[in-house]
Amino acid sequence: QVQLVESGGTLVQPGGSLRLSCAASGFTLSYLALGWFGQAPGKEREAVACMSGDSTKRYYPDSVKGRFTVSKDNAKNTVYLQMNNLQPEDTALYYCAAAGHLSDYVARNQDEYDYWGQGTQVTVSS
């Protein structure tokens, strides 16, 4: 069974940090394009961090650049999102996603992804 399972979301104070994890089962993440998307209440789901299959290229929107970092551990078949200096506007349901693309391609749009997790809630509030 192909599955992505996110974890690590919680309530955090402004300025705090979190690391989200996304564990894959039923397939290997090693050569897949990977992405993290956030969906705030009443808003569209948007990419916050994307990585090419060969890990050489990454995309971050300006809103998170310098604060969020995507990485993966092939041995654990897990992708991570390190989130630093969190702000209330980062509050969202965060999803991880995976898809097969050319090895150096960074997929930025949700329509380019085939596999999705169920999401993990991050709430930034004092």
Side-chain angles (χ1 to χ4, degrees):
Q1 181 182 3
V2 172
Q3 199 172 14
L4 291 170
V5 179
E6 302 97 333
S7 61
T10 190
L11 172 65
V12 62
Q13 291 189 342
S17 295
L18 278 179
R19 189 177 78 159
L20 305 183
S21 300
C22 174
S25 59
F27 66 108
T28 179
L29 294 176
S30 298
Y31 304 106
L32 297 181
L34 301 170
W36 284 95
F37 289 76
Q39 186 166 25
K43 293 189 176 181
E44 297 275 329
R45 189 161 56 182
E46 298 179 334
V48 297
C50 304
M51 182 167 64
S52 61
D54 62 6
S55 303
T56 61
K57 297 181 180 177
R58 287 168 171 81
Y59 162 76
Y60 303 99
D62 288 343
S63 58
V64 308
K65 200 171 292 183
R67 300 190 298 122
F68 289 13
T69 303
V70 58
S71 63
K72 65 178 178 179
D73 185 330
N74 288 333
K76 295 183 178 179
N77 212 25
T78 299
V79 58
Y80 302 99
L81 180 66
Q82 179 67 42
M83 312 167 76
N84 297 328
N85 191 23
L86 282 160
Q87 301 300 317
E89 53 266 33
D90 297 319
T91 294
L93 187 59
Y94 284 83
Y95 300 87
C96 69
H101 290 291
L102 293 176
S103 60
D104 64 347
Y105 180 72
V106 180
R108 303 183 181 189
N109 300 309
Q110 59 178 326
D111 293 342
E112 298 182 278
Y113 287 88
D114 301 311
Y115 305 107
W116 290 87
Q118 82 291 346
T120 186
Q121 179 67 39
V122 173
T123 301
V124 185
S125 175
S126 55

